[in-house]
Amino acid sequence: MPLLHAANLRVLLAGAAVAHLSSPIPTTRASSPCAPPLLPLPRLRAFATYRASPPPPQPSSPSLSGALASASSAACERGEKPSICTADELHYVPVPGTEWRLALWRYRPPPEAPKRNHPLMLLSGVATNAIGFDLSPGASFARHMSMQGFDTWIVEVRGAGLSMRGSELAVANTTSDMSPSSSLDKVSTQKINGSEPAKDNSTRLAQNLEVSVIEENDIVESNTSEDPQLVTKLSDALERLGDTFSGYVKDSRLRSIADGFFNRVSELVPDASLTRSLEEVSEKILGLLELPQTSAISDQISYLSQRLVNILGEGQQNISPRLFGWQERLSATIEDLQKQLELIISYDWDFDHYLEEDVPAAMNYIRQQSSSKDGKMLAIGHSMGGILLYAMVSKCGFEGAEPGLAAIVTLASSVDYTTSNSSLKLLLPLADPAEILRVPAIPLGTLLSTTYPISSRAPYILSLLRSQISSKDMMDPELLSKLVLNNFCTVPAKVLLQLTTAFRDGGLRNRAGTFLFKQHLHKIKVPVLALAGDEDLICPPEAVYETVKLIPQRLVTYKVFGKPEGPHYAHYDLVGGRKAVHEVYPCIIEFLSQHDEVSS
């Protein structure tokens, strides 16, 4: 697949974001690892739980990915499960220390199904929701697993599907059976990425400022009385910029976003003699923004905002004709800054947040709701879901900790893509951290739902999108259309930025770059079934094998699906291809059944 030029990719994604606001390794069966009993887990109660009868057929409809959260919120207000959720039950689970509530879709096994010892957790790929595992009554991976006796749970991580922030579920909280815990449910509006709100040591700070403190009498008033609302709007936007980055980013990102804003403001100064004054004020504001935000700093920003607006007003007095509508243009520039900040704040998480916060919270809750005697569970991860499982067992292997997993299955997943020609190389232009400022979130659902309807028409270039998902004739066209239009969500650029480290020497690493997950896979004690598709362009078999070869042979089973004469398997076909139910599912069920015993 031809790669887009980096600049063109940036333009495409930025525009969308703004508009969006192989031979198998022979293995022997490994016995379940012995481990000390798990410690009692703290009780986490569901934010809201909904039960339903077996799911009705889902109607074919326009893209629903953008409406999932609003539909769920409305349903919560009515105390019912939203119709988009076709699981037997929908549970909401709080993520400790955050305002997020993860949606867990539960599929209970029927009474006549085989009895199993462990629940089964399903993790989806990047920017996808639960629908990929439950596309329709006749094409539901999750429902198939529950019919085989597994108490099946699909986890939607933060930002995906029906998961939402606590503020969006506030109405549901009044009718929930949950007793809010201050330690779990406290929402901090000032804490970003673990940085504590700055204490207001205004007097002490003012004595030690690294930039000069501006006194009121230093503000030179112009002869015009500029709109105080415009000054307030500018001051508020700048203060929010400082709050957003205070204690969070201390590199070029703050200056980059602020420089871009002041460059646009400078275009409103027609008098060259005032350009220097504007630059001086801008530099002082930048200096203040890089300090911890306190009331003293806030006062200085307000003073300088007034001065900046006055300079623009003075510029209009010295030229003829005056610049028409400069106040409106300044207001629009401020609003663009506010929207950019809102997007950055709204999508401020990465892969490590999934790994260290979301998945553990979901696993703790599933254990509490299920009847596993040893506290363990089985897990299946597709694409990024499998990467999360690899990262989890790698980290536990390094720490000598018990991951709480009896066995895992990864579908089209790897932590090292360096030897493959994966189409994920399209993400590499986003590897520059500065791109997060220009494109803080990628509205993948919007992009796909917009381009997919025209992919079957000339000039057919966009037909390449379909081959990324499914091989020819492997999916019913209506189901493929439903998948593309409903399964994809918006993903933070920070998630993609971290995932691109899988293309660097050493493979995927944590956000700090200090922990390389592949280096510790040889220490894991969990049986692994790793499956690949022969025509997977996203995670080719060679990428899957690059990870598999690092796992002890006694613990891993590796298989590539697809035959030279067909059928062939692309990225999603391992989950929802028309042949998967007869070829892939039995392989998975056999493996899970072998490792479903309760460890002593």
Side-chain angles (χ1 to χ4, degrees):
M1 177 179 180
L3 301 182
L4 291 175
H5 188 277
N8 294 337
L9 181 61
R10 284 196 295 267
V11 172
L12 172 66
L13 295 180
V18 172
H20 168 72
L21 210 250
S22 64
S23 294
I25 295 178
T27 66
T28 58
R29 177 181 171 188
S31 58
S32 300
C34 296
L38 295 176
L39 296 175
L41 295 166
R43 180 67 176 169
L44 297 178
R45 300 186 64 191
F47 191 90
T49 301
Y50 306 101
R51 297 175 183 268
S53 56
Q58 292 183 338
S60 178
S61 60
S63 176
L64 296 174
S65 58
L68 287 179
S70 59
S72 178
S73 181
C76 287
E77 187 173 357
R78 299 190 301 270
E80 62 186 45
K81 183 169 67 70
S83 60
I84 190 65
C85 177
T86 52
D88 298 326
E89 301 169 8
L90 175 64
H91 296 245
Y92 277 101
V93 182
V95 178
T98 78
E99 60 175 336
W100 281 101
R101 302 295 183 269
L102 307 181
L104 270 60
W105 298 36
R106 187 180 192 178
Y107 301 78
R108 287 186 175 273
E112 66 274 13
K115 302 302 178 184
R116 305 292 184 178
N117 294 313
H118 298 98
L120 174 61
M121 176 178 68
L122 307 183
L123 296 175
S124 304
V126 64
T128 61
N129 54 45
I131 292 176
F133 281 124
D134 189 12
L135 196 54
S136 75
S140 173
F141 183 90
R143 184 67 62 185
H144 187 94
M145 292 297 134
S146 71
M147 296 298 290
Q148 295 298 316
F150 297 104
D151 182 8
T152 303
W153 300 73
I154 306 176
V155 177
E156 291 187 317
V157 294
R158 67 184 69 188
L162 299 178
S163 292
M164 58 184 74
R165 291 177 170 88
S167 56
E168 298 169 314
L169 281 170
V171 176
N173 189 31
T174 61
T175 58
S176 169
D177 66 345
M178 176 183 179
S179 299
S181 166
S182 60
S183 63
L184 293 181
D185 298 327
K186 183 178 181 181
V187 178
S188 171
T189 58
Q190 301 183 62
K191 184 176 180 182
I192 302 177
N193 267 19
S195 61
E196 297 296 334
K199 295 182 180 179
D200 191 358
N201 299 319
S202 305
T203 304
R204 186 184 309 123
L205 182 64
Q207 297 172 354
N208 298 285
L209 288 178
E210 297 179 9
V211 296
S212 58
V213 178
I214 310 299
E215 301 296 340
E216 284 194 63
N217 54 15
D218 292 332
I219 303 298
V220 180
E221 300 293 342
S222 68
N223 294 328
T224 60
S225 178
E226 305 303 343
D227 186 354
Q229 292 183 349
L230 189 58
V231 174
T232 300
K233 187 175 184 179
L234 173 60
S235 177
D236 289 346
L238 293 174
E239 288 176 25
R240 189 175 189 192
L241 175 61
D243 286 337
T244 302
F245 289 95
S246 178
Y248 170 42
V249 175
K250 290 298 183 183
D251 55 25
S252 61
R253 288 183 60 193
L254 172 61
R255 183 164 290 273
S256 176
I257 194 171
D259 282 346
F261 170 74
F262 287 122
N263 285 339
R264 291 186 61 187
V265 172
S266 66
E267 296 174 0
L268 303 178
V269 182
D271 189 346
S273 64
L274 294 176
T275 301
R276 180 57 187 166
S277 297
L278 184 65
E279 290 176 349
E280 290 177 355
V281 172
S282 300
E283 282 300 318
K284 288 179 179 178
I285 292 176
L286 278 171
L288 292 171
L289 293 179
E290 293 174 342
L291 295 172
Q293 299 301 293
T294 66
S295 61
I297 299 298
S298 178
D299 289 342
Q300 301 306 314
I301 291 176
S302 296
Y303 296 151
L304 291 169
S305 297
Q306 177 68 69
R307 178 58 184 147
L308 188 147
V309 174
N310 288 344
I311 290 174
L312 296 177
E314 291 170 11
Q316 305 308 309
Q317 303 296 321
N318 300 330
I319 63 169
S320 180
R322 297 184 181 183
L323 182 63
F324 177 75
W326 70 269
Q327 294 98 333
E328 289 77 7
R329 291 176 60 181
L330 176 59
S331 179
T333 302
I334 296 171
E335 289 174 1
D336 288 344
L337 173 64
Q338 292 170 331
K339 291 176 181 177
Q340 189 175 15
L341 290 176
E342 189 66 37
L343 203 57
I344 292 173
I345 294 170
S346 297
Y347 292 94
D348 182 32
W349 68 85
D350 56 22
F351 177 87
D352 281 2
H353 285 98
Y354 298 149
L355 175 65
E356 298 171 0
E357 298 179 7
D358 293 9
V359 175
M363 290 179 65
N364 286 347
Y365 182 81
I366 293 171
R367 289 193 194 104
Q368 295 162 13
Q369 296 294 312
S370 303
S371 56
S372 174
K373 294 180 181 179
D374 60 3
K376 295 183 179 181
M377 67 185 64
L378 302 164
I380 301 175
H382 175 244
S383 194
M384 189 190 73
I387 297 175
L388 282 167
L389 294 176
Y390 280 138
M392 183 185 306
V393 296
S394 171
K395 192 173 180 182
C396 288
F398 170 75
E399 297 171 350
E402 169 57 61
L405 295 166
I408 66 172
V409 179
T410 64
L411 310 175
S413 304
S414 179
V415 295
D416 189 349
Y417 288 80
T418 55
T419 62
S420 73
N421 191 30
S422 168
S423 60
L424 285 181
K425 290 180 180 178
L426 282 169
L427 302 180
L428 293 180
L430 295 173
D432 180 0
E435 296 299 332
I436 298 178
L437 297 176
R438 301 185 184 95
V439 191
I442 313 300
L444 188 59
T446 301
L447 288 170
L448 289 178
S449 63
T450 301
T451 58
Y452 180 76
I454 60 175
S455 64
S456 59
R457 301 199 298 266
Y460 303 108
I461 295 176
L462 293 176
S463 63
L464 292 170
L465 293 174
R466 291 182 293 169
S467 62
Q468 299 291 316
I469 300 170
S470 179
S471 291
K472 185 178 180 181
D473 299 328
M474 274 296 278
M475 287 190 69
D476 177 85
E478 290 188 6
L479 289 180
L480 179 58
S481 177
K482 181 178 180 180
L483 178 74
V484 173
L485 297 177
N486 295 281
N487 186 49
F488 296 94
C489 316
T490 296
V491 60
K494 290 175 69 174
V495 172
L496 301 182
L497 175 66
Q498 189 171 352
L499 289 176
T500 59
T501 64
F503 288 91
R504 293 163 52 185
D505 289 341
L508 183 72
R509 58 206 71 198
N510 63 357
R511 75 168 65 97
T514 56
F515 188 89
L516 280 63
F517 294 104
K518 66 177 289 184
Q519 290 185 351
H520 306 283
L521 286 174
H522 68 280
K523 304 174 185 176
I524 73 172
K525 300 179 180 179
V526 179
V528 177
L529 173 63
L531 304 183
D534 65 329
E535 287 193 350
D536 191 337
L537 302 177
I538 293 175
C539 188
E542 57 268 26
V544 177
Y545 181 76
E546 194 66 23
T547 296
V548 167
K549 70 181 184 181
L550 303 172
I551 302 172
Q553 288 192 11
R554 62 184 178 82
L555 291 175
V556 66
T557 303
Y558 170 57
K559 184 174 178 61
V560 179
F561 281 91
K563 302 175 182 177
E565 67 278 8
H568 300 287
Y569 286 79
H571 196 62
Y572 178 73
D573 294 328
L574 293 171
V575 176
R578 61 183 177 86
K579 291 289 187 179
V581 67
H582 303 295
E583 297 181 354
V584 182
Y585 295 7
C587 177
I588 295 174
I589 293 168
E590 179 183 3
F591 175 81
L592 295 179
S593 299
Q594 290 174 354
H595 299 285
D596 189 41
E597 301 126 352
V598 177
S599 60
S600 58

